[in-house]
Amino acid sequence: MSDRATLSTVAARAGVSPSTASLAFAGSPRVAPATVERVLRAAGELGYAGPDPIAASLRRGRSGVVGAVIGERLLYAFRDPVAVQMLDGLTEVLGELGVGLLLLAGDGGPAPAQLGRLPLDAAVFATCGLEDDPAFRLLRARRVPLVAVEGPVVAGVPLVDIEDRQGTVELAAHLRELGHRRVAMVTMPLRLDGRRGPVDADRLATGVYRDTRERLLGAREVFADLPAVETASNGIEEGEQAGAALLSGPDRPTAILAQSDLLAAGVLRAAAARGLAVPGDLSVAGFDGADLPWLAPVRLTTVVQPTAEKGRAAGRAVVALLAGEVPPDVVFPVVLRPGTTTGPAPA
Amino acid sequence: MSDRATLSTVAARAGVSPSTASLAFAGSPRVAPATVERVLRAAGELGYAGPDPIAASLRRGRSGVVGAVIGERLLYAFRDPVAVQMLDGLTEVLGELGVGLLLLAGDGGPAPAQLGRLPLDAAVFATCGLEDDPAFRLLRARRVPLVAVEGPVVAGVPLVDIEDRQGTVELAAHLRELGHRRVAMVTMPLRLDGRRGPVDADRLATGVYRDTRERLLGAREVFADLPAVETASNGIEEGEQAGAALLSGPDRPTAILAQSDLLAAGVLRAAAARGLAVPGDLSVAGFDGADLPWLAPVRLTTVVQPTAEKGRAAGRAVVALLAGEVPPDVVFPVVLRPGTTTGPAPA
DNA sequence: CCGCTCCATCGAATCGATTTGACAGGGTAG
DNA sequence: CTACCCTGTCAAATCGATTCGATGGAGCGG
């Protein structure tokens, strides 16, 4: 049981210098095929499977690992098809580079302090438009190249964004045209503190999620004092709960805008529970254009965002950063997609 | 714009040796508080955020990164609540260790060859009972400590498993007691080659997913020649398609066992599309005990497996491996949970 | 037969930290 | 006053590869 073989061991056995052995493993054209062969055989005999990635990382100054910071706990974040699709797009681009995606979950992931001990070439703030995040500050201090998806907006950090505001404006306008006047919104969390309920000015001001805020403000551009109910997380049950609250109030809205398709699905359930016909009694709309096969045959009216493309754009930004370039900010347009859940306001 | 500061730079500025500076950052009790202070101040002045993780990794021989090999493409794998829950359990344990989870997706992830270039302390084969996987062989050759969840079963690789077989037997027995005789199964993929349709002996023999095979064999222990239809991936639409195929055949089954809750949801949709009452005309059962809130108020008859606990167990196995121990194999029991989707066979 | 070019290989510096055992120097006990 | 111990600091070895620029030798043309 000898010591584990190293590149030098192998080189010695092959009768070449470590430099040559290294070149051989790297597949450099400058080394003769016969030599490569000899090195590989020596490696085989010694049970050497190739250069140690950590040592190579040190020398190269690159680890081949890119972090994806997920705000929430994995379990909740991945219930969200949008998050998953985004990450899929991200891996698509990074995978080609031979780079791995390291998941950094807000909860259950490495504690912020530990985060600095991980060998990251770059990090993407993925599902969190979170402003003033300790993880963000830590990585900045470490000079880890960063990409922000939907925020935070910080100078020097390339941003990949969508037209949250504009999209919601269009959606709201659509409902207005349909004759709706009593419209309410179910929002995603403004902060991750488990709070639910009506959103007042204070709460809005202290919110840290840009997308949540933007979508709310967009709707209010059309319906000036549209009431909003905040959920504690972006999930169906939360949507149902918030929907139920809105529907049981005195002035029942004729339309509910949910800030995500997942929340909208919950609102639909709340409506069904109350025996309300959609869109006869109540119109419901979402946001994201998520792929929710179980919703069929209902087609949710929603605002479609290019989720996977967002991930790919983030991936490309990472690639650019690693190449020493300064990637431009990107803002993707969104498109209103009317479905079967919105209709004329009841008389 | 000087060179980036290193530990030595900082040490020099603080008027101590690099060794002391290192100890200071490591929080060693052997270094005087005043010295620590001095070092930290010097670091602050130089904009040094702490020791370089890669260099530290090399010296320590640990990178703090654990790989999670996902068989499929991220997008599909994460549609599966079971996979997500498993990973959540895994991060829960690894997070405490300050270790990050690196996602290695079969598709879109780093190509197998690149996989060897990533600095992994260990890897978990997460959602793939896949036998004879190139990634698996590669990592084994590299001597990366491995943990297998539901396979592959290889000597020296700790296994975290559930009683797939026994669970399906119980489920099938339940249906038999309800009087069902014409029972069919919708299976998960046996290989990832996009194939769909009836499972014959050949196909079963060349399958690489242990869980799929075991669940089928379990059902056949009760219903000897129970017909099975394979899906191309574990998703609702796939389940619907397979269900439709089974329901449109000549001898319509009175019960369909789906190998996962997701597939079962699809079968339910296929039944609904045909106007079949569940469980009046058709009983449907799943497997996993997944959390599918949108299925409410229907409660799927299923076999509950401790998904998150499986992830935690895998995490503990990794921890043990990293500590140089040899973790034992673990097999979790499963429990039949009758719901509202199974009932007596129609007369 | 000489000089030049080109090709394959090698030397040596470097990446940035960790860690152990040794060593000053001051304090205490005998 | 001496011997010893403890505390805080340091020197040096090590982790394992990568990467130029340099070098030796073979082949070629003149």
Side-chain angles (χ1 to χ4, degrees), chain A residues 15-17 19-20 29-32 35 58-59 117:
Chain A
V16 299
S17 76
S19 356
T20 303
R30 287 176 43 179
V31 43
T35 311
L58 174 57
R59 186 63 242 254
R117 316 195 67 93

Side-chain angles (χ1 to χ4, degrees), chain A residues 42-109:
Chain A
E45 290 164 3
L46 292 171
Y48 178 81
D52 179 311
I54 300 186
S57 296
L58 174 57
R59 186 63 242 254
R60 291 219 184 89
R62 284 274 152 87
S63 66
V65 176
V66 170
V69 184
I70 313 286
E72 263 179 303
R73 180 177 183 149
L74 208 57
L75 186 57
Y76 302 129
F78 284 4
R79 271 204 235 269
D80 182 355
V82 173
V84 172
Q85 222 169 354
M86 218 282 288
L87 284 179
D88 188 65
L90 188 57
T91 52
E92 192 179 320
V93 174
L94 295 184
E96 284 171 15
L97 224 72
V99 159
L101 235 215
L102 181 61
L103 244 38
L104 300 166
D107 188 17

Side-chain angles (χ1 to χ4, degrees), chain B residues 213-237:
Chain B
R213 193 195 311 134
E214 290 292 304
R215 292 182 194 177
L216 176 50
L217 293 178
R220 287 205 172 143
E221 280 188 26
V222 177
F223 298 106
D225 22 52
L226 152 145
V229 173
E230 181 180 358
T231 57
S233 96
N234 186 12
I236 297 176
E237 298 92 333

Side-chain angles (χ1 to χ4, degrees), chain B residues 15-17 19-20 30-32 35 58-59 117:
Chain B
V16 300
S17 75
S19 355
T20 304
R30 287 178 43 181
V31 42
T35 310
L58 174 57
R59 185 63 241 252
R117 316 196 68 94

